[in-house]
Amino acid sequence: MTGREPPRTEVLPLEPDLVGEHFVLSELSQKSTAECQALLAAAWRANPLGSAAFLDRLSQTLRQDSLFDYQGARTALALLFQVPPDSGTMAWALLGVNLLARLSAQFPTETWQLARHMHQVAQVTDEAALWELWANGAFNLLNDLGSRDPQAARALLEEMAQAAKARDEAALWELWAKGAVNLLNDLGSRDPQAARALLEEMAQAAKARDEAA
């Protein structure tokens, strides 16, 4: 398929990238959920960084709706987001941060599921780096979610606050505060009373921690 003779230990990529991305999405959209999950799990085990890099490029391409069948892309993405990160967890979480920033407006259901999955992984592993990556992803999601679904955005921000309180780490508190700033941009005109309460909550956290950020 590539038109080149591969080394014995490698499978050469199908290039240019756009052709390879289209091939992967087309193949996944024609397979069962179990088959897709098996293929994607094998890819993560074989090359976590390469898999993350490929999916990162794919997410950039998917921002241009006209390049792919939209429903096919939606089906495949839902599967991609649900792949258990049994290896390469950090690479998967780093990818998740980017996907939540790029695709939340186009794929709101799938990105919400991804954010939930990242939160579950952080809870299971209880590693500081994964908690911070989840909080970064949640912050990215809030940029779109605040105006699209204020109630869900407020619940997500509360979840970030709970994680910050439980772990009491500066990075989590700062990401919560940045997320609150994003929500205030919309909340101030829509619900001034709720905005004032949130601002007071931020002030209390700042006083308690006494950190410049």
Side-chain angles (χ1 to χ4, degrees), residues 7-212:
R8 289 186 176 183
T9 58
E10 295 180 38
V11 177
L12 294 175
L14 186 58
E15 295 177 329
D17 289 341
L18 188 62
V19 174
E21 292 163 9
H22 190 279
F23 173 77
V24 169
L25 282 183
S26 297
E27 287 295 309
L28 290 179
S29 65
Q30 297 174 45
K31 296 186 182 301
S32 69
T33 299
E35 289 173 324
C36 289
Q37 289 176 335
L39 285 169
L40 293 165
W44 280 112
R45 286 194 300 271
N47 188 349
L49 291 178
S51 297
F54 172 81
L55 295 173
D56 189 62
R57 290 194 301 272
L58 175 60
S59 73
Q60 296 177 55
T61 303
L62 284 171
R63 298 182 76 177
Q64 306 173 54
D65 288 0
S66 61
L67 293 178
F68 290 115
D69 169 62
Y70 195 73
Q71 187 56 44
R74 180 181 293 279
T75 301
L77 276 171
L79 293 166
L80 294 175
F81 290 169
Q82 293 172 24
V83 175
D86 54 354
S87 64
T89 306
M90 286 297 296
W92 174 83
L94 283 164
L95 168 68
V97 173
N98 290 344
L99 294 179
L100 291 175
R102 291 191 186 119
L103 300 179
S104 61
Q106 288 171 289
F107 301 97
T109 301
E110 291 78 13
T111 46
W112 178 257
Q113 291 171 348
L114 174 60
R116 304 316 307 151
H117 195 173
M118 291 176 69
H119 187 243
Q120 290 166 6
V121 170
Q123 287 180 313
V124 170
T125 61
D126 202 29
E127 294 179 11
L130 289 171
W131 275 111
E132 187 173 346
L133 287 171
W134 165 75
N136 266 294
F139 166 73
N140 287 341
L141 190 59
L142 283 172
N143 289 328
D144 169 68
L145 196 63
S147 57
R148 179 166 49 79
D149 190 339
Q151 195 169 8
R154 193 67 183 88
L156 181 58
L157 186 68
E158 177 58 29
E159 204 167 65
M160 294 173 72
Q162 290 173 1
K165 291 172 185 175
R167 297 188 63 83
D168 200 29
E169 294 169 359
L172 296 182
W173 278 112
E174 185 172 349
L175 284 164
W176 166 77
K178 288 180 176 179
V181 170
N182 283 357
L183 252 62
L184 283 171
N185 290 331
D186 173 68
L187 199 61
S189 58
R190 185 170 46 78
D191 190 341
Q193 193 170 7
R196 190 68 185 85
L198 179 56
L199 189 63
E200 178 59 28
E201 190 178 343
M202 293 171 70
Q204 291 175 0
K207 289 174 186 175
R209 295 194 61 85
D210 195 26
E211 294 170 357

